[in-house]
Amino acid sequence: ESGYHSAEFQEKRSLAFLSRAKEICDAVVQKKEERDSRTERMDKILLSPKTGIPFMLLLLGGVFWITVAGANVPSEFLMRQFHQCGAVMRNGLLTLQAPLWLQGLLLDGVWLTVSWVVAVMLPPMAIFFPLFTLLEDFGLLPRIAFNLDGLFQKAGAHGKQALTMCMGFGCNAAGVVGCRIIDSPRERLLAILTNSFVPCKGRFPILIFLLGAFFSSRNPIVSALMLTGVVCLGIAATFGATRLLSATVLRGETSSYVLELPPYRKPQLGKIPLNDLTTLH
């Protein structure tokens, strides 16, 4: 009978230990959610050297295709409106018998320049900046920086230069200002000097015009591929110039860099206009 009570006591004690262990485990151990496992599965593809870089190039080409194809219609509409306004202004100056030099200064100089700049540059910028913000909100932009981190380390630069280079696609001025996140003065100067190799959105309309002039194609996909090639050439020039400077006049040791990758999340569409205005400012 004493053995029976002893066995019963041992069983109750074991169950008490298991119950207490379960309480402690529930309090301190965080179980992986479905969202975390989905993030890990996607990161295996997007952060892999074999699939991450090709996906990044495809994503870049897709953004450029949407920008090129979507900017054609509003650009043509704005050009027609500016042309009609210019014709009305010219008739008004003729009615007032304004001198020819004043007509040429106001219409052929100021008005024509402003109309061309607004009609050609505004639609691509209005499309690219929201797309760029969507990539950042979704969590893809930090992963693009992660894929480029190793290349910048081999070039003798800081890994954060990948972030400033990505910012340069939207605006080189914002990319240069963003270089302040780099602590090392040498690596910060490297990022500042080489940021202009990446074409910003202000230069995209000029690139599109030159590509259309020398390689005439009415297919937006072909235009987007050519534009992606030019951008990749600019990225290669950034790595080449960074490597040259880090090996000569800006020689030094590369500092370490820890990049935190946020989870994938649904973009906040309501904050996109505010973020775009901040970027433009």
Side-chain angles (χ1 to χ4, degrees):
E1 183 178 357
S2 61
Y4 172 77
H5 288 295
S6 177
E8 185 180 4
F9 173 76
Q10 293 289 342
E11 182 180 0
K12 290 182 178 180
R13 187 177 65 173
S14 298
L15 291 175
F17 283 155
L18 290 175
S19 177
R20 181 57 180 167
K22 183 178 182 303
E23 293 178 1
I24 296 175
C25 180
D26 293 337
V28 301
V29 177
Q30 296 180 355
K31 297 181 180 180
K32 290 186 177 180
E33 300 179 358
E34 180 183 357
R35 179 180 60 184
D36 297 331
S37 61
R38 184 171 63 249
T39 298
E40 292 181 357
R41 290 196 302 268
M42 295 180 65
D43 282 344
K44 288 181 180 180
I45 300 175
L46 299 181
L47 301 182
S48 173
K50 296 181 180 180
T51 57
I53 299 297
F55 176 81
M56 182 180 66
L57 294 177
L58 289 175
L59 184 64
L60 189 63
V63 170
F64 290 151
W65 175 76
I66 295 175
T67 302
V68 173
N72 290 332
V73 176
S75 292
E76 294 178 357
F77 173 78
L78 289 176
M79 283 301 301
R80 290 195 301 267
Q81 299 301 317
F82 279 120
H83 180 72
Q84 295 177 1
C85 292
V88 174
M89 293 172 60
R90 188 177 298 275
N91 293 332
L93 291 176
L94 291 175
T95 303
L96 297 176
Q97 297 182 354
L100 294 178
W101 66 267
L102 182 59
Q103 297 181 27
L105 176 64
L106 295 178
L107 297 178
D108 300 330
V110 177
W111 180 255
L112 187 61
T113 303
V114 171
S115 61
W116 270 96
V117 170
V118 173
V120 175
M121 294 182 59
L122 182 60
M125 293 177 66
I127 296 175
F128 180 83
F129 277 119
L131 292 177
F132 195 81
T133 306
L134 283 175
L135 294 180
E136 183 178 5
D137 288 346
F138 189 70
L140 287 176
L141 191 59
R143 285 159 176 84
I144 293 176
F146 178 85
N147 291 329
L148 297 176
D149 176 48
L151 297 178
F152 277 107
Q153 292 286 339
K154 294 179 181 179
H158 198 279
K160 289 182 180 179
Q161 187 174 342
L163 295 173
T164 61
M165 188 183 70
C166 292
M167 293 174 64
F169 283 116
C171 179
N172 288 124
V176 171
V177 173
C179 293
R180 60 187 176 183
I181 65 177
I182 302 176
D183 298 326
S184 171
R186 181 191 72 88
E187 294 166 340
R188 189 187 312 125
L189 186 58
L190 277 173
I192 292 173
L193 293 176
T194 58
N195 191 271
S196 60
F197 285 101
V198 177
C200 68
K201 276 309 301 172
R203 283 180 279 175
F204 277 1
I206 300 176
L207 293 176
I208 295 173
F209 172 77
L210 293 177
L211 290 174
F214 290 97
F215 308 97
S216 179
S217 176
R218 295 185 178 276
N219 191 340
I221 298 179
V222 177
S223 301
L225 290 176
M226 291 190 295
L227 183 59
T228 304
V230 173
V231 172
C232 291
L233 182 62
I235 296 175
T238 301
F239 285 119
T242 302
R243 181 59 182 151
L244 179 62
L245 291 174
S246 62
T248 54
V249 295
L250 295 177
R251 188 180 307 169
E253 295 184 359
T254 305
S255 57
S256 60
Y257 173 44
V258 178
L259 177 64
E260 181 181 358
L261 296 179
Y264 297 98
R265 54 187 181 270
K266 185 178 179 180
Q268 299 178 358
L269 301 178
K271 294 184 178 181
I272 290 180
L274 180 61
N275 294 335
D276 294 339
L277 290 176
T278 304
T279 304
L280 289 173
H281 177 71

